[in-house]
Amino acid sequence: MLHNKTWKIIGLLLAAALAILLFWMSVVFGYADTSWHTVKEAYTAFDGSNEHIIIRELRMPRTIIALLIGAALAASGALMQAITYNPMASPGILGVNAGGGFFIVAGLSLFSIQSSMSMVWLAFAGAAFAAIAVYVMAQVGKDGITPLKLTLAGATLAALFTSFTTALLIGDERTLDDVLFWLAGSVQGKSLNQLTAVLPFLLAGYVVILVLGKSLNIYAVGEQLAKGLGQRTQWLKIVSLLTVVALAGSSVAVAGPVGFVGLVIPHIVRALVGNDHRWIIPYCLVLGGNLLLAADIGARFIAFPKEVPVGVMTALVGAPFFIYLARRERRLS
């Protein structure tokens, strides 16, 4: 663990340096053979060649999107784990991603919605509905909300939304062809126009979640004690909900329901810097982007010359990690 402030700053700078390296690799490496010199020429001496078009229209947008979406998913996972006192919480595990995905598929299939902005609002609505529904379901019973009940409610709701999505797609082959790759979580073929639609919400979410660091530290000592210290915990929950909806909903609208980034990265970060959310959040933003960039690079080569959705790559890491967490929590309970 990085114990003092100096080492935490150094660690964050090293993570940022890794992000720059992965960004470079993502732009340069792929099916088409290019180099950093080709990338430079694509922006300084564009000649309309296939290599230049690939870099400008395909690789650069997907790289920027992977970096920003990974950061959003990791930060929203850290926020969900803090606000629910549940180490297994994340947008994927608690059904937020599945809710956003279902609302988008329903809009495409039932109402033929095509505009990027409409898909963004559908993703927000689905994410908000799922988050509120999970919270309500977890309150049922004498002992109120517990981490286990939250996880079970989220898994149940995620499975329900996935079933509804599948039912819609079975009866609509046209929509199935359009969203099949997206449903597995993918940044392939995305344009900067799609990112532009959600960028204000992503940036606002980043700013708010960074500001919440001190409040989350107070809340972590226990809700009743936090109230005794003067914290307005209900407002904190509402702001946190809106922030998760903005970050996770934006991610789903652009890249589909990419799973496990919001689960894995906060645990890695807490192992590095401890439980201070003033450090957890910035580390999650950087390392979340790093994870999705690395996963996207791997997705290009694991079945070369074909590509697999980046969500498959994150699941290869995240699914075993989820099983490990579930077994650990069971032993501790």
Side-chain angles (χ1 to χ4, degrees):
M1 183 186 293
L2 304 176
H3 292 285
N4 61 57
K5 183 178 180 179
T6 301
W7 280 109
K8 289 176 181 178
I9 293 173
I10 292 173
L12 192 58
L13 292 174
L14 289 175
L18 178 60
I20 294 172
L21 174 62
L22 290 170
F23 193 98
W24 171 79
M25 293 174 63
S26 180
V27 174
V28 172
F29 296 140
Y31 180 76
D33 186 20
T34 60
S35 65
W36 179 245
H37 181 69
T38 310
V39 175
K40 181 181 177 181
E41 286 188 335
Y43 287 93
T44 60
F46 180 71
D47 59 11
S49 64
N50 286 339
E51 289 81 6
H52 287 185
I53 292 174
I54 286 171
I55 288 169
R56 290 175 59 135
E57 303 297 328
L58 296 177
R59 288 191 190 163
M60 187 61 74
R62 77 184 289 176
T63 298
I64 295 172
I65 289 170
L67 183 68
L68 295 179
I69 295 305
L73 290 171
S76 59
L79 181 55
M80 293 179 75
Q81 290 171 18
I83 213 70
T84 63
Y85 301 112
N86 183 359
M88 297 176 68
S90 75
I93 300 301
L94 295 192
V96 175
N97 285 351
F102 168 69
F103 271 54
I104 288 178
V105 171
L108 290 170
S109 179
L110 300 178
F111 305 104
S112 300
I113 291 173
Q114 297 294 334
S115 74
S116 297
M117 205 63 234
S118 296
M119 292 178 66
V120 171
W121 289 115
L122 283 172
F124 288 164
F129 179 83
I132 294 171
V134 167
Y135 191 80
V136 171
M137 289 169 61
Q139 286 183 332
V140 176
K142 295 180 179 179
D143 52 350
I145 297 176
T146 65
L148 177 60
K149 288 169 66 177
L150 271 173
T151 303
L152 291 176
T156 301
L157 203 64
L160 188 64
F161 279 129
T162 301
S163 298
F164 289 162
T165 302
T166 303
L168 284 175
L169 294 176
I170 287 175
D172 189 349
E173 293 185 5
R174 178 186 59 81
T175 303
L176 175 62
D177 292 338
D178 292 339
V179 305
L180 186 58
F181 212 72
W182 171 84
L183 278 173
S186 175
V187 294
Q188 180 185 4
K190 306 301 179 182
S191 69
L192 290 180
N193 288 335
Q194 292 172 288
L195 177 63
T196 302
V198 302
L199 189 59
F201 303 104
L202 285 175
L203 295 178
Y206 296 155
V207 172
V208 172
I209 201 170
L210 285 168
V211 172
L212 288 179
K214 184 177 180 180
S215 297
L216 292 174
N217 285 345
I218 297 173
Y219 185 80
V221 302
E223 185 170 355
Q224 295 304 318
L225 183 55
K227 289 180 179 178
L229 294 173
Q231 186 176 71
R232 301 171 68 183
T233 58
Q234 285 302 118
W235 277 109
L236 178 62
K237 291 179 181 179
I238 292 171
V239 172
S240 298
L241 172 63
L242 294 175
T243 305
V244 168
V245 168
L247 293 175
S250 297
S251 301
V252 172
V254 176
V258 178
F260 296 108
V261 177
L263 175 69
V264 174
I265 292 299
H267 284 274
I268 294 175
V269 169
R270 281 193 291 271
L272 288 173
V273 301
N275 295 316
D276 187 345
H277 287 86
R278 292 173 298 179
W279 289 102
I280 289 174
I281 299 303
Y283 264 85
C284 280
L285 288 170
V286 178
L287 292 182
N290 287 356
L291 176 59
L292 205 59
L293 278 175
D296 184 45
I297 295 169
R300 305 176 197 182
F301 296 100
I302 193 171
F304 191 82
K306 296 182 179 180
E307 291 192 21
V308 299
V310 70
V312 174
M313 298 299 295
T314 58
L316 290 176
V317 176
F321 193 82
F322 176 75
I323 294 171
Y324 160 75
L325 283 178
R327 290 174 63 88
R328 188 186 71 175
E329 290 303 308
R330 183 179 178 183
R331 287 196 302 268
L332 294 175
S333 61

